[in-house]
Amino acid sequence: MRQLVEINHLPKKLLKHLTEPDYYLPIHKNTFLFRQGEPVKELYVIISGQVIIGKTSSEGRELTLRFCGPNDLIGEFIIDDVPINYLVDGKITESGEVAVFDQKKLLDRLQNQPEAMMEFLKFASIQHRKDQMRFRDLLLYGKKGALYSTLIRLANSYGRKTDDGILIELHLTNQEIANFCATSRESINRMLSELKKQQVIRIDQGKITIIKLDFIKKAINCENCPVTLCTIN
């Protein structure tokens, strides 16, 4: 059987319990790995492909919470025996394969491994806090805060320092950025154009370079949270 050798963001004490999945599952673009309202039973590690974690409002507006790729662990976490349903969608945006872990089996294995169980709870808590911080930015600072915090998170996740600033090495359309901000593409177009006029950012061939990161952070009273809490994945 194939074995997983790396999962992003996981400590070794937990990682060793996730090296042998229950099975592997092909995933296909423009379908869903899981949907809001479905019962939570499994965790997934992306082997290849991409999955966007997000919510859709009753009006059809999308809010993207996380952008996940190879070696990311995704799914909602069962901490006790109380059944829960997904609050988010896992939309597949690039075909590939995931490793699947039955959560009840995993938790049974961790019962006798208190240090690994603690790491599991910490990881679940971090993912929850990251989502709560995204909602906080939307509520406190509106569309501008959503865009600016998204740019900061993109810089932390995919940024590379250059002579001009921080190049975000991920090509996103304005509609995809709008989905991270729960707003319209037209609003994002206007705000990005204003940032370009102020020479805060530059956009070349669809990739954003943040020239004045401090300007963006100051505009939303950035608290300089740990990078582990301020990423897009």
mmCIF file of all heavy atoms in Angstrom, residues 82-120:
data_model
loop_
_atom_site.group_PDB
_atom_site.id
_atom_site.type_symbol
_atom_site.label_atom_id
_atom_site.label_comp_id
_atom_site.label_asym_id
_atom_site.label_seq_id
_atom_site.Cartn_x
_atom_site.Cartn_y
_atom_site.Cartn_z
ATOM 1 N N VAL A 82 -21.061 12.794 19.493
ATOM 2 C CA VAL A 82 -22.242 13.533 19.037
ATOM 3 C C VAL A 82 -22.176 13.693 17.514
ATOM 4 O O VAL A 82 -21.216 14.251 16.987
ATOM 5 C CB VAL A 82 -22.314 14.921 19.708
ATOM 6 C CG1 VAL A 82 -23.519 15.690 19.189
ATOM 7 C CG2 VAL A 82 -22.376 14.771 21.229
ATOM 8 N N PRO A 83 -23.173 13.215 16.777
ATOM 9 C CA PRO A 83 -23.151 13.354 15.311
ATOM 10 C C PRO A 83 -23.183 14.824 14.905
ATOM 11 O O PRO A 83 -23.898 15.629 15.506
ATOM 12 C CB PRO A 83 -24.434 12.636 14.862
ATOM 13 C CG PRO A 83 -24.834 11.777 16.012
ATOM 14 C CD PRO A 83 -24.375 12.490 17.246
ATOM 15 N N ILE A 84 -22.403 15.181 13.902
ATOM 16 C CA ILE A 84 -22.401 16.543 13.367
ATOM 17 C C ILE A 84 -22.494 16.493 11.855
ATOM 18 O O ILE A 84 -22.159 15.481 11.232
ATOM 19 C CB ILE A 84 -21.148 17.344 13.796
ATOM 20 C CG1 ILE A 84 -19.872 16.692 13.251
ATOM 21 C CG2 ILE A 84 -21.076 17.498 15.297
ATOM 22 C CD1 ILE A 84 -18.637 17.543 13.451
ATOM 23 N N ASN A 85 -22.975 17.593 11.277
ATOM 24 C CA ASN A 85 -23.057 17.721 9.827
ATOM 25 C C ASN A 85 -22.090 18.807 9.352
ATOM 26 O O ASN A 85 -21.743 19.715 10.108
ATOM 27 C CB ASN A 85 -24.481 18.076 9.398
ATOM 28 C CG ASN A 85 -25.475 16.981 9.712
ATOM 29 O OD1 ASN A 85 -25.128 15.804 9.740
ATOM 30 N ND2 ASN A 85 -26.716 17.363 9.964
ATOM 31 N N TYR A 86 -21.690 18.703 8.105
ATOM 32 C CA TYR A 86 -20.802 19.708 7.532
ATOM 33 C C TYR A 86 -21.483 21.075 7.500
ATOM 34 O O TYR A 86 -22.650 21.189 7.110
ATOM 35 C CB TYR A 86 -20.394 19.330 6.108
ATOM 36 C CG TYR A 86 -19.303 18.301 6.047
ATOM 37 C CD1 TYR A 86 -19.589 16.974 5.725
ATOM 38 C CD2 TYR A 86 -17.984 18.650 6.305
ATOM 39 C CE1 TYR A 86 -18.584 16.027 5.667
ATOM 40 C CE2 TYR A 86 -16.973 17.712 6.250
ATOM 41 C CZ TYR A 86 -17.274 16.398 5.931
ATOM 42 O OH TYR A 86 -16.273 15.464 5.882
ATOM 43 N N LEU A 87 -20.734 22.101 7.897
ATOM 44 C CA LEU A 87 -21.209 23.484 7.795
ATOM 45 C C LEU A 87 -20.685 24.158 6.543
ATOM 46 O O LEU A 87 -21.042 25.298 6.256
ATOM 47 C CB LEU A 87 -20.748 24.271 9.028
ATOM 48 C CG LEU A 87 -21.267 23.764 10.379
ATOM 49 C CD1 LEU A 87 -20.644 24.563 11.519
ATOM 50 C CD2 LEU A 87 -22.786 23.844 10.434
ATOM 51 N N VAL A 88 -19.815 23.466 5.809
ATOM 52 C CA VAL A 88 -19.163 24.034 4.629
ATOM 53 C C VAL A 88 -19.201 23.017 3.496
ATOM 54 O O VAL A 88 -19.503 21.845 3.690
ATOM 55 C CB VAL A 88 -17.694 24.422 4.931
ATOM 56 C CG1 VAL A 88 -17.623 25.551 5.937
ATOM 57 C CG2 VAL A 88 -16.910 23.201 5.426
ATOM 58 N N ASP A 89 -18.859 23.496 2.293
ATOM 59 C CA ASP A 89 -18.698 22.634 1.124
ATOM 60 C C ASP A 89 -17.219 22.401 0.855
ATOM 61 O O ASP A 89 -16.381 23.281 1.113
ATOM 62 C CB ASP A 89 -19.296 23.287 -0.126
ATOM 63 C CG ASP A 89 -20.807 23.396 -0.072
ATOM 64 O OD1 ASP A 89 -21.437 22.491 0.499
ATOM 65 O OD2 ASP A 89 -21.348 24.378 -0.614
ATOM 66 N N GLY A 90 -16.900 21.247 0.318
ATOM 67 C CA GLY A 90 -15.567 20.977 -0.202
ATOM 68 C C GLY A 90 -15.666 20.831 -1.707
ATOM 69 O O GLY A 90 -15.961 19.735 -2.210
ATOM 70 N N LYS A 91 -15.465 21.923 -2.438
ATOM 71 C CA LYS A 91 -15.630 21.931 -3.892
ATOM 72 C C LYS A 91 -14.303 21.615 -4.579
ATOM 73 O O LYS A 91 -13.290 22.262 -4.304
ATOM 74 C CB LYS A 91 -16.152 23.289 -4.361
ATOM 75 C CG LYS A 91 -16.443 23.349 -5.858
ATOM 76 C CD LYS A 91 -17.023 24.705 -6.245
ATOM 77 C CE LYS A 91 -17.352 24.765 -7.724
ATOM 78 N NZ LYS A 91 -17.912 26.092 -8.099
ATOM 79 N N ILE A 92 -14.313 20.646 -5.470
ATOM 80 C CA ILE A 92 -13.093 20.223 -6.165
ATOM 81 C C ILE A 92 -12.886 21.117 -7.380
ATOM 82 O O ILE A 92 -13.747 21.198 -8.262
ATOM 83 C CB ILE A 92 -13.207 18.745 -6.587
ATOM 84 C CG1 ILE A 92 -13.397 17.857 -5.348
ATOM 85 C CG2 ILE A 92 -11.974 18.304 -7.373
ATOM 86 C CD1 ILE A 92 -13.965 16.493 -5.650
ATOM 87 N N THR A 93 -11.756 21.820 -7.413
ATOM 88 C CA THR A 93 -11.463 22.734 -8.515
ATOM 89 C C THR A 93 -10.371 22.210 -9.436
ATOM 90 O O THR A 93 -10.102 22.807 -10.473
ATOM 91 C CB THR A 93 -11.047 24.116 -7.969
ATOM 92 O OG1 THR A 93 -9.965 23.955 -7.034
ATOM 93 C CG2 THR A 93 -12.218 24.786 -7.258
ATOM 94 N N GLU A 94 -9.737 21.120 -9.052
ATOM 95 C CA GLU A 94 -8.744 20.473 -9.909
ATOM 96 C C GLU A 94 -8.756 18.984 -9.592
ATOM 97 O O GLU A 94 -8.659 18.585 -8.434
ATOM 98 C CB GLU A 94 -7.344 21.056 -9.657
ATOM 99 C CG GLU A 94 -6.278 20.480 -10.559
ATOM 100 C CD GLU A 94 -4.922 21.103 -10.288
ATOM 101 O OE1 GLU A 94 -4.827 22.350 -10.311
ATOM 102 O OE2 GLU A 94 -3.957 20.345 -10.026
ATOM 103 N N SER A 95 -8.913 18.159 -10.615
ATOM 104 C CA SER A 95 -9.024 16.719 -10.404
ATOM 105 C C SER A 95 -7.757 16.144 -9.786
ATOM 106 O O SER A 95 -6.658 16.684 -9.963
ATOM 107 C CB SER A 95 -9.310 16.011 -11.735
ATOM 108 O OG SER A 95 -10.541 16.435 -12.279
ATOM 109 N N GLY A 96 -7.912 15.047 -9.058
ATOM 110 C CA GLY A 96 -6.756 14.412 -8.435
ATOM 111 C C GLY A 96 -7.182 13.229 -7.604
ATOM 112 O O GLY A 96 -8.050 12.438 -8.007
ATOM 113 N N GLU A 97 -6.623 13.123 -6.404
ATOM 114 C CA GLU A 97 -6.879 11.976 -5.537
ATOM 115 C C GLU A 97 -6.727 12.399 -4.081
ATOM 116 O O GLU A 97 -5.898 13.248 -3.759
ATOM 117 C CB GLU A 97 -5.880 10.855 -5.861
ATOM 118 C CG GLU A 97 -6.120 9.556 -5.116
ATOM 119 C CD GLU A 97 -5.088 8.502 -5.459
ATOM 120 O OE1 GLU A 97 -3.895 8.862 -5.590
ATOM 121 O OE2 GLU A 97 -5.455 7.320 -5.588
ATOM 122 N N VAL A 98 -7.545 11.806 -3.213
ATOM 123 C CA VAL A 98 -7.428 12.058 -1.777
ATOM 124 C C VAL A 98 -7.279 10.730 -1.042
ATOM 125 O O VAL A 98 -7.760 9.685 -1.503
ATOM 126 C CB VAL A 98 -8.638 12.833 -1.208
ATOM 127 C CG1 VAL A 98 -8.728 14.223 -1.806
ATOM 128 C CG2 VAL A 98 -9.937 12.055 -1.424
ATOM 129 N N ALA A 99 -6.596 10.788 0.093
ATOM 130 C CA ALA A 99 -6.547 9.659 1.023
ATOM 131 C C ALA A 99 -7.645 9.867 2.057
ATOM 132 O O ALA A 99 -7.832 10.972 2.554
ATOM 133 C CB ALA A 99 -5.179 9.591 1.696
ATOM 134 N N VAL A 100 -8.375 8.809 2.378
ATOM 135 C CA VAL A 100 -9.561 8.908 3.222
ATOM 136 C C VAL A 100 -9.330 8.165 4.532
ATOM 137 O O VAL A 100 -8.866 7.018 4.544
ATOM 138 C CB VAL A 100 -10.796 8.327 2.504
ATOM 139 C CG1 VAL A 100 -12.049 8.531 3.352
ATOM 140 C CG2 VAL A 100 -10.976 8.963 1.130
ATOM 141 N N PHE A 101 -9.669 8.856 5.647
ATOM 142 C CA PHE A 101 -9.529 8.280 6.986
ATOM 143 C C PHE A 101 -10.881 8.291 7.682
ATOM 144 O O PHE A 101 -11.508 9.346 7.790
ATOM 145 C CB PHE A 101 -8.528 9.094 7.826
ATOM 146 C CG PHE A 101 -7.142 9.114 7.274
ATOM 147 C CD1 PHE A 101 -6.781 10.035 6.304
ATOM 148 C CD2 PHE A 101 -6.182 8.213 7.727
ATOM 149 C CE1 PHE A 101 -5.489 10.059 5.790
ATOM 150 C CE2 PHE A 101 -4.901 8.232 7.230
ATOM 151 C CZ PHE A 101 -4.548 9.153 6.260
ATOM 152 N N ASP A 102 -11.327 7.133 8.146
ATOM 153 C CA ASP A 102 -12.529 7.050 8.952
ATOM 154 C C ASP A 102 -12.240 7.665 10.321
ATOM 155 O O ASP A 102 -11.345 7.219 11.037
ATOM 156 C CB ASP A 102 -12.951 5.593 9.113
ATOM 157 C CG ASP A 102 -14.232 5.448 9.908
ATOM 158 O OD1 ASP A 102 -14.156 5.527 11.157
ATOM 159 O OD2 ASP A 102 -15.290 5.251 9.303
ATOM 160 N N GLN A 103 -13.002 8.714 10.690
ATOM 161 C CA GLN A 103 -12.679 9.438 11.923
ATOM 162 C C GLN A 103 -12.881 8.600 13.181
ATOM 163 O O GLN A 103 -12.115 8.704 14.132
ATOM 164 C CB GLN A 103 -13.502 10.730 12.021
ATOM 165 C CG GLN A 103 -13.040 11.807 11.064
ATOM 166 C CD GLN A 103 -13.330 13.201 11.597
ATOM 167 O OE1 GLN A 103 -12.910 13.541 12.697
ATOM 168 N NE2 GLN A 103 -14.013 14.000 10.801
ATOM 169 N N LYS A 104 -13.903 7.761 13.212
ATOM 170 C CA LYS A 104 -14.132 6.952 14.410
ATOM 171 C C LYS A 104 -12.974 5.975 14.634
ATOM 172 O O LYS A 104 -12.510 5.794 15.760
ATOM 173 C CB LYS A 104 -15.463 6.208 14.290
ATOM 174 C CG LYS A 104 -16.680 7.120 14.343
ATOM 175 C CD LYS A 104 -17.966 6.329 14.327
ATOM 176 C CE LYS A 104 -18.244 5.711 15.670
ATOM 177 N NZ LYS A 104 -18.733 6.693 16.644
ATOM 178 N N LYS A 105 -12.483 5.384 13.552
ATOM 179 C CA LYS A 105 -11.332 4.485 13.665
ATOM 180 C C LYS A 105 -10.095 5.256 14.125
ATOM 181 O O LYS A 105 -9.322 4.777 14.964
ATOM 182 C CB LYS A 105 -11.051 3.807 12.325
ATOM 183 C CG LYS A 105 -12.090 2.800 11.889
ATOM 184 C CD LYS A 105 -11.682 2.183 10.559
ATOM 185 C CE LYS A 105 -12.713 1.191 10.052
ATOM 186 N NZ LYS A 105 -12.312 0.626 8.743
ATOM 187 N N LEU A 106 -9.914 6.460 13.549
ATOM 188 C CA LEU A 106 -8.758 7.270 13.912
ATOM 189 C C LEU A 106 -8.802 7.652 15.384
ATOM 190 O O LEU A 106 -7.797 7.532 16.108
ATOM 191 C CB LEU A 106 -8.704 8.522 13.036
ATOM 192 C CG LEU A 106 -7.608 9.542 13.362
ATOM 193 C CD1 LEU A 106 -6.225 8.924 13.201
ATOM 194 C CD2 LEU A 106 -7.745 10.775 12.476
ATOM 195 N N LEU A 107 -9.961 8.099 15.842
ATOM 196 C CA LEU A 107 -10.089 8.491 17.246
ATOM 197 C C LEU A 107 -9.895 7.306 18.188
ATOM 198 O O LEU A 107 -9.332 7.450 19.276
ATOM 199 C CB LEU A 107 -11.441 9.154 17.480
ATOM 200 C CG LEU A 107 -11.608 10.547 16.857
ATOM 201 C CD1 LEU A 107 -13.036 11.045 17.023
ATOM 202 C CD2 LEU A 107 -10.626 11.548 17.449
ATOM 203 N N ASP A 108 -10.355 6.129 17.770
ATOM 204 C CA ASP A 108 -10.121 4.933 18.585
ATOM 205 C C ASP A 108 -8.621 4.676 18.746
ATOM 206 O O ASP A 108 -8.165 4.299 19.839
ATOM 207 C CB ASP A 108 -10.795 3.713 17.946
ATOM 208 C CG ASP A 108 -12.311 3.728 18.114
ATOM 209 O OD1 ASP A 108 -12.798 4.491 18.980
ATOM 210 O OD2 ASP A 108 -13.000 2.996 17.380
ATOM 211 N N ARG A 109 -7.861 4.882 17.671
ATOM 212 C CA ARG A 109 -6.412 4.677 17.753
ATOM 213 C C ARG A 109 -5.750 5.719 18.652
ATOM 214 O O ARG A 109 -4.780 5.433 19.345
ATOM 215 C CB ARG A 109 -5.777 4.734 16.356
ATOM 216 C CG ARG A 109 -6.149 3.585 15.459
ATOM 217 C CD ARG A 109 -5.151 3.394 14.338
ATOM 218 N NE ARG A 109 -5.007 4.558 13.489
ATOM 219 C CZ ARG A 109 -5.727 4.763 12.392
ATOM 220 N NH1 ARG A 109 -6.652 3.874 12.024
ATOM 221 N NH2 ARG A 109 -5.543 5.835 11.647
ATOM 222 N N LEU A 110 -6.308 6.922 18.639
ATOM 223 C CA LEU A 110 -5.692 8.005 19.408
ATOM 224 C C LEU A 110 -6.055 7.960 20.899
ATOM 225 O O LEU A 110 -5.400 8.635 21.704
ATOM 226 C CB LEU A 110 -6.113 9.360 18.827
ATOM 227 C CG LEU A 110 -5.632 9.675 17.401
ATOM 228 C CD1 LEU A 110 -6.118 11.059 16.985
ATOM 229 C CD2 LEU A 110 -4.124 9.596 17.290
ATOM 230 N N GLN A 111 -7.084 7.188 21.259
ATOM 231 C CA GLN A 111 -7.517 7.149 22.655
ATOM 232 C C GLN A 111 -6.383 6.764 23.597
ATOM 233 O O GLN A 111 -6.301 7.256 24.728
ATOM 234 C CB GLN A 111 -8.677 6.161 22.813
ATOM 235 C CG GLN A 111 -9.987 6.603 22.197
ATOM 236 C CD GLN A 111 -10.560 7.847 22.860
ATOM 237 O OE1 GLN A 111 -10.323 8.118 24.034
ATOM 238 N NE2 GLN A 111 -11.320 8.627 22.098
ATOM 239 N N ASN A 112 -5.519 5.870 23.149
ATOM 240 C CA ASN A 112 -4.414 5.408 23.986
ATOM 241 C C ASN A 112 -3.123 6.175 23.720
ATOM 242 O O ASN A 112 -2.047 5.759 24.167
ATOM 243 C CB ASN A 112 -4.179 3.911 23.767
ATOM 244 C CG ASN A 112 -5.379 3.084 24.165
ATOM 245 O OD1 ASN A 112 -6.021 3.368 25.177
ATOM 246 N ND2 ASN A 112 -5.698 2.068 23.375
ATOM 247 N N GLN A 113 -3.239 7.273 22.977
ATOM 248 C CA GLN A 113 -2.080 8.106 22.655
ATOM 249 C C GLN A 113 -2.407 9.549 23.054
ATOM 250 O O GLN A 113 -2.735 10.378 22.201
ATOM 251 C CB GLN A 113 -1.752 8.021 21.154
ATOM 252 C CG GLN A 113 -1.490 6.628 20.631
ATOM 253 C CD GLN A 113 -0.146 6.104 21.087
ATOM 254 O OE1 GLN A 113 0.777 6.870 21.367
ATOM 255 N NE2 GLN A 113 -0.019 4.783 21.162
ATOM 256 N N PRO A 114 -2.354 9.888 24.346
ATOM 257 C CA PRO A 114 -2.812 11.203 24.801
ATOM 258 C C PRO A 114 -2.092 12.373 24.138
ATOM 259 O O PRO A 114 -2.716 13.402 23.867
ATOM 260 C CB PRO A 114 -2.566 11.173 26.313
ATOM 261 C CG PRO A 114 -1.622 10.040 26.541
ATOM 262 C CD PRO A 114 -1.886 9.042 25.467
ATOM 263 N N GLU A 115 -0.788 12.231 23.875
ATOM 264 C CA GLU A 115 -0.065 13.338 23.240
ATOM 265 C C GLU A 115 -0.564 13.556 21.811
ATOM 266 O O GLU A 115 -0.739 14.703 21.377
ATOM 267 C CB GLU A 115 1.436 13.059 23.251
ATOM 268 C CG GLU A 115 2.058 13.117 24.640
ATOM 269 C CD GLU A 115 3.567 12.949 24.598
ATOM 270 O OE1 GLU A 115 4.102 12.626 23.522
ATOM 271 O OE2 GLU A 115 4.202 13.146 25.643
ATOM 272 N N ALA A 116 -0.794 12.464 21.082
ATOM 273 C CA ALA A 116 -1.303 12.583 19.721
ATOM 274 C C ALA A 116 -2.728 13.140 19.725
ATOM 275 O O ALA A 116 -3.093 13.958 18.874
ATOM 276 C CB ALA A 116 -1.256 11.227 19.019
ATOM 277 N N MET A 117 -3.554 12.702 20.684
ATOM 278 C CA MET A 117 -4.908 13.222 20.795
ATOM 279 C C MET A 117 -4.897 14.724 21.070
ATOM 280 O O MET A 117 -5.689 15.480 20.494
ATOM 281 C CB MET A 117 -5.669 12.492 21.902
ATOM 282 C CG MET A 117 -7.083 13.030 22.139
ATOM 283 S SD MET A 117 -8.173 12.870 20.715
ATOM 284 C CE MET A 117 -8.726 11.176 20.927
ATOM 285 N N MET A 118 -3.982 15.175 21.923
ATOM 286 C CA MET A 118 -3.874 16.599 22.211
ATOM 287 C C MET A 118 -3.489 17.377 20.956
ATOM 288 O O MET A 118 -4.030 18.463 20.692
ATOM 289 C CB MET A 118 -2.852 16.832 23.315
ATOM 290 C CG MET A 118 -2.748 18.283 23.760
ATOM 291 S SD MET A 118 -4.316 18.938 24.410
ATOM 292 C CE MET A 118 -4.475 17.948 25.901
ATOM 293 N N GLU A 119 -2.571 16.834 20.155
ATOM 294 C CA GLU A 119 -2.177 17.497 18.916
ATOM 295 C C GLU A 119 -3.352 17.553 17.942
ATOM 296 O O GLU A 119 -3.531 18.539 17.227
ATOM 297 C CB GLU A 119 -0.992 16.771 18.284
ATOM 298 C CG GLU A 119 0.286 16.782 19.100
ATOM 299 C CD GLU A 119 0.871 18.180 19.285
ATOM 300 O OE1 GLU A 119 0.420 19.115 18.590
ATOM 301 O OE2 GLU A 119 1.780 18.340 20.126
ATOM 302 N N PHE A 120 -4.147 16.495 17.918
ATOM 303 C CA PHE A 120 -5.331 16.466 17.066
ATOM 304 C C PHE A 120 -6.306 17.572 17.461
ATOM 305 O O PHE A 120 -6.836 18.297 16.610
ATOM 306 C CB PHE A 120 -6.000 15.098 17.178
ATOM 307 C CG PHE A 120 -7.203 14.911 16.299
ATOM 308 C CD1 PHE A 120 -7.071 14.573 14.968
ATOM 309 C CD2 PHE A 120 -8.487 15.076 16.814
ATOM 310 C CE1 PHE A 120 -8.180 14.402 14.161
ATOM 311 C CE2 PHE A 120 -9.607 14.902 16.015
ATOM 312 C CZ PHE A 120 -9.451 14.556 14.681
#
